[in-house]
Amino acid sequence: MSGCGCDSVCAAAPPDPRYRRALWIALVLNALMFGVELAASFAAQSVSLLADAVDFLGDAGNYGVALFVLGLAPVWRSRTALWKGWLMVGYGVFVLGKSAWQWSAGIVPEPVVMGWVSLLALAVNLGVAALLFAHRGGDAQARSVWLCSRNDALGNLAVMAAAAGVWATSQGWPDIAVALVLAGLALSSGASVIRHARDELRAA
């Protein structure tokens, strides 16, 4: 485009077909796991599973957005990453509120369902993280996608630990504790993506 004065803003490099294919696979897997974990969270009455299900839904949306902006100019990818960073922060705040409600209700979740479903989710997220590993060092958009996949795998391990804690204690506090950890992870990662995206926008 003539007159823009900045090729890095007005032109985009051709999208990597391998990255596009990895995003499509990640989108489908995350959408499927959202349905599985949502049903399991109600069956087990687990706030950590529900938090992970919402995270799968958010990630499916993130991968869809990433595919949409993949061929756009870098400035638009940075703006999208900024929006996604705030979405991650909002997710963390939601989990904090849900955890407070779960604590006040005194609900003890079903640990067996939590354990098996979180194991399945871990396998899915490790596969997605492996697909996206080579692209983690790109712009803020690619970084936000990588952080989502990494956080999901860590979150699944935490939910498995919560299931073991609930089974050992017959109390709901391990489920709440893990939900709080997931909230903190979402808040810190969201802040990191926001900072990175703002740096790119200032440079542009």
Side-chain angles (χ1 to χ4, degrees), residues 19-31:
Y19 185 44
R20 183 186 296 276
R21 182 169 58 252
L23 287 175
W24 271 114
I25 295 172
L27 170 60
V28 172
L29 290 176
N30 275 263

Side-chain angles (χ1 to χ4, degrees):
M1 180 183 298
S2 61
C4 67
C6 181
D7 292 339
S8 64
V9 173
C10 300
D16 185 346
R18 293 173 300 175
Y19 185 44
R20 183 186 296 276
R21 182 169 58 252
L23 287 175
W24 271 114
I25 295 172
L27 170 60
V28 172
L29 290 176
N30 275 263
L32 289 174
M33 281 307 303
F34 164 69
V36 171
E37 282 206 325
L38 182 64
S41 68
F42 286 109
Q45 298 188 53
S46 168
V47 67
S48 60
L49 270 183
L50 178 60
D52 208 38
V54 174
D55 191 38
F56 268 118
L57 178 62
D59 287 345
N62 285 340
Y63 295 134
V65 170
L67 283 165
F68 175 73
V69 303
L70 195 57
L72 299 183
V75 66
W76 289 107
R77 296 202 298 268
S78 298
R79 289 172 179 171
T80 302
L82 183 63
W83 173 80
K84 287 169 61 179
W86 283 113
L87 185 64
M88 294 167 75
V89 170
Y91 160 73
V93 173
F94 165 77
V95 174
L96 290 176
K98 179 64 175 177
S99 299
W101 179 87
Q102 190 90 348
W103 176 263
S104 65
I107 296 174
V108 179
E110 167 54 53
V112 176
V113 175
M114 291 175 61
W116 281 109
V117 173
S118 59
L119 182 61
L120 174 61
L122 176 63
V124 170
N125 281 320
L126 286 177
V128 170
L131 282 173
L132 299 174
F133 181 79
H135 309 282
R136 71 193 186 283
D139 58 14
Q141 170 67 21
R143 177 176 173 79
S144 68
V145 169
W146 158 249
L147 284 174
C148 283
S149 63
R150 184 207 66 180
N151 289 355
D152 289 344
L154 295 175
N156 298 143
L157 289 174
V159 175
M160 293 173 68
V166 171
W167 178 82
T169 64
S170 298
Q171 297 183 29
W173 66 262
D175 188 46
I176 302 295
V178 167
L180 294 177
V181 171
L182 293 177
L185 195 60
L187 291 171
S188 63
S189 295
S192 173
V193 171
I194 289 170
R195 286 194 300 270
H196 194 171
R198 284 178 171 172
D199 288 344
E200 289 181 352
L201 288 171
R202 280 195 292 267

